[in-house]
Amino acid sequence: MTDTYSTLTLTLDGGDVTIKLRPDLAPEHVARIAELANEGFYDGVVFHRVIPGFMAQGGDPTGTGMHGSEKPNLKQEFSKEPHVRGTCSMARTMDPNSANSQFFICFDDARFLDGQYTVWGQVTEGMELIDALPKGEPPANPGKIVSAKAA
């Protein structure tokens, strides 16, 4: 049996962001996020794309938005779950089966993404810390994940 995780904690400079994991929607993506987090993959990784009113994207170890982990890409696990404030979803290329380690957190409703990106979690605490991330593509001084742990 695989480990089951219910929360992901992203520790940012200002404190902790708690994310409720949704293995009911995307079991493979939740397993990947948890695995990477607990391996320390996300520790020190920046939010390289932060667009006001839209989303904050991170998860690329190079900070460029062009890379992921060395693990294989994941097949999409699209659902009817809406992209609303606090939704955590996987970034990908034009190929729907290209999600790897990059993810984004919605600042506001982004319903135009529904059914096209894999939703894997929802921020339950600390959304104000996501709101406070430096903006830009990339930000001049990007906010970073100090540590990430799944439990």
Side-chain angles (χ1 to χ4, degrees):
M1 184 168 153
T2 58
D3 292 332
T4 54
Y5 297 97
S6 60
T7 59
L8 177 71
T9 303
L10 299 180
T11 301
L12 308 184
D13 287 331
D16 288 349
V17 176
T18 304
I19 297 168
K20 176 187 179 200
L21 296 174
R22 297 292 309 271
D24 57 314
L25 298 176
E28 298 300 320
H29 287 71
V30 166
R32 170 66 57 84
I33 293 275
E35 178 183 28
L36 290 172
N38 290 340
E39 288 174 356
F41 177 85
Y42 291 117
D43 299 0
V45 172
V46 301
F47 285 92
H48 63 269
R49 187 169 173 239
V50 183
I51 304 171
F54 181 33
M55 56 92 215
Q57 183 173 333
D60 174 356
T62 69
T64 63
M66 304 300 288
H67 299 90
S69 76
E70 293 183 0
K71 299 180 189 300
N73 288 345
L74 296 166
K75 287 194 171 18
Q76 60 88 4
E77 294 178 288
F78 299 161
S79 67
K80 295 187 185 309
E81 194 68 16
H83 285 77
V84 295
R85 178 170 170 77
T87 297
C88 303
S89 194
M90 289 303 275
R92 61 172 178 81
T93 66
M94 295 299 287
D95 176 355
N97 300 312
S98 62
N100 186 288
S101 65
Q102 290 191 48
F103 63 89
F104 60 92
I105 302 172
C106 297
F107 287 124
D108 291 305
D109 286 6
R111 301 295 303 269
F112 60 93
L113 300 175
D114 292 1
Q116 301 177 67
Y117 292 83
T118 299
V119 174
W120 55 267
Q122 180 70 35
V123 174
T124 56
E125 293 178 58
M127 189 63 197
E128 69 280 0
L129 298 169
I130 301 298
D131 291 335
L133 288 168
K135 311 300 186 273
E137 298 182 65
N141 295 297
K144 72 174 185 294
I145 299 167
V146 177
S147 70
K149 287 289 175 238

PDB file of all heavy atoms in Angstrom, residues 32 69-74 99-100:
ATOM      1  N   ARG A  32       3.199  12.310  -6.284  1.00  0.00           N
ATOM      2  CA  ARG A  32       4.421  12.947  -6.796  1.00  0.00           C
ATOM      3  C   ARG A  32       4.795  14.170  -5.976  1.00  0.00           C
ATOM      4  O   ARG A  32       5.949  14.334  -5.572  1.00  0.00           O
ATOM      5  CB  ARG A  32       4.220  13.343  -8.268  1.00  0.00           C
ATOM      6  CG  ARG A  32       5.325  14.228  -8.850  1.00  0.00           C
ATOM      7  CD  ARG A  32       6.696  13.565  -8.970  1.00  0.00           C
ATOM      8  NE  ARG A  32       6.644  12.365  -9.769  1.00  0.00           N
ATOM      9  CZ  ARG A  32       6.715  12.349 -11.108  1.00  0.00           C
ATOM     10  NH1 ARG A  32       6.851  13.454 -11.789  1.00  0.00           N
ATOM     11  NH2 ARG A  32       6.663  11.201 -11.749  1.00  0.00           N
ATOM     12  N   SER A  69      11.597  17.845 -12.275  1.00  0.00           N
ATOM     13  CA  SER A  69      12.409  16.834 -11.604  1.00  0.00           C
ATOM     14  C   SER A  69      12.922  15.840 -12.642  1.00  0.00           C
ATOM     15  O   SER A  69      12.557  15.920 -13.818  1.00  0.00           O
ATOM     16  CB  SER A  69      11.550  16.092 -10.562  1.00  0.00           C
ATOM     17  OG  SER A  69      10.692  15.164 -11.197  1.00  0.00           O
ATOM     18  N   GLU A  70      13.736  14.899 -12.192  1.00  0.00           N
ATOM     19  CA  GLU A  70      14.230  13.862 -13.097  1.00  0.00           C
ATOM     20  C   GLU A  70      13.262  12.690 -13.204  1.00  0.00           C
ATOM     21  O   GLU A  70      13.510  11.748 -13.939  1.00  0.00           O
ATOM     22  CB  GLU A  70      15.615  13.386 -12.630  1.00  0.00           C
ATOM     23  CG  GLU A  70      16.655  14.475 -12.761  1.00  0.00           C
ATOM     24  CD  GLU A  70      18.050  14.026 -12.377  1.00  0.00           C
ATOM     25  OE1 GLU A  70      18.233  12.847 -12.000  1.00  0.00           O
ATOM     26  OE2 GLU A  70      18.950  14.868 -12.457  1.00  0.00           O
ATOM     27  N   LYS A  71      12.157  12.777 -12.478  1.00  0.00           N
ATOM     28  CA  LYS A  71      11.144  11.716 -12.526  1.00  0.00           C
ATOM     29  C   LYS A  71      10.348  11.836 -13.830  1.00  0.00           C
ATOM     30  O   LYS A  71      10.300  12.907 -14.429  1.00  0.00           O
ATOM     31  CB  LYS A  71      10.218  11.824 -11.311  1.00  0.00           C
ATOM     32  CG  LYS A  71      10.974  11.657 -10.001  1.00  0.00           C
ATOM     33  CD  LYS A  71      10.061  11.775  -8.804  1.00  0.00           C
ATOM     34  CE  LYS A  71      10.840  11.816  -7.502  1.00  0.00           C
ATOM     35  NZ  LYS A  71      11.664  10.659  -7.244  1.00  0.00           N
ATOM     36  N   PRO A  72       9.716  10.750 -14.275  1.00  0.00           N
ATOM     37  CA  PRO A  72       8.945  10.825 -15.522  1.00  0.00           C
ATOM     38  C   PRO A  72       7.736  11.754 -15.389  1.00  0.00           C
ATOM     39  O   PRO A  72       7.199  11.935 -14.288  1.00  0.00           O
ATOM     40  CB  PRO A  72       8.503   9.379 -15.774  1.00  0.00           C
ATOM     41  CG  PRO A  72       8.683   8.660 -14.480  1.00  0.00           C
ATOM     42  CD  PRO A  72       9.711   9.411 -13.685  1.00  0.00           C
ATOM     43  N   ASN A  73       7.336  12.340 -16.509  1.00  0.00           N
ATOM     44  CA  ASN A  73       6.137  13.177 -16.520  1.00  0.00           C
ATOM     45  C   ASN A  73       4.914  12.338 -16.162  1.00  0.00           C
ATOM     46  O   ASN A  73       4.910  11.115 -16.323  1.00  0.00           O
ATOM     47  CB  ASN A  73       5.948  13.827 -17.890  1.00  0.00           C
ATOM     48  CG  ASN A  73       6.965  14.925 -18.129  1.00  0.00           C
ATOM     49  OD1 ASN A  73       7.622  15.399 -17.217  1.00  0.00           O
ATOM     50  ND2 ASN A  73       7.085  15.328 -19.370  1.00  0.00           N
ATOM     51  N   LEU A  74       3.883  13.012 -15.704  1.00  0.00           N
ATOM     52  CA  LEU A  74       2.645  12.356 -15.268  1.00  0.00           C
ATOM     53  C   LEU A  74       1.554  12.477 -16.324  1.00  0.00           C
ATOM     54  O   LEU A  74       1.460  13.495 -17.008  1.00  0.00           O
ATOM     55  CB  LEU A  74       2.150  13.009 -13.974  1.00  0.00           C
ATOM     56  CG  LEU A  74       3.051  12.864 -12.758  1.00  0.00           C
ATOM     57  CD1 LEU A  74       2.623  13.830 -11.674  1.00  0.00           C
ATOM     58  CD2 LEU A  74       3.012  11.438 -12.247  1.00  0.00           C
ATOM     59  N   ALA A  99       2.913  17.182 -17.014  1.00  0.00           N
ATOM     60  CA  ALA A  99       3.132  17.691 -15.650  1.00  0.00           C
ATOM     61  C   ALA A  99       4.255  16.891 -14.996  1.00  0.00           C
ATOM     62  O   ALA A  99       4.364  15.690 -15.194  1.00  0.00           O
ATOM     63  CB  ALA A  99       1.856  17.593 -14.833  1.00  0.00           C
ATOM     64  N   ASN A 100       5.092  17.595 -14.212  1.00  0.00           N
ATOM     65  CA  ASN A 100       6.215  16.925 -13.576  1.00  0.00           C
ATOM     66  C   ASN A 100       6.365  17.395 -12.134  1.00  0.00           C
ATOM     67  O   ASN A 100       5.997  16.692 -11.205  1.00  0.00           O
ATOM     68  CB  ASN A 100       7.493  17.149 -14.391  1.00  0.00           C
ATOM     69  CG  ASN A 100       8.657  16.359 -13.862  1.00  0.00           C
ATOM     70  OD1 ASN A 100       9.186  16.673 -12.807  1.00  0.00           O
ATOM     71  ND2 ASN A 100       9.046  15.317 -14.578  1.00  0.00           N
TER      72      ASN A 100
END
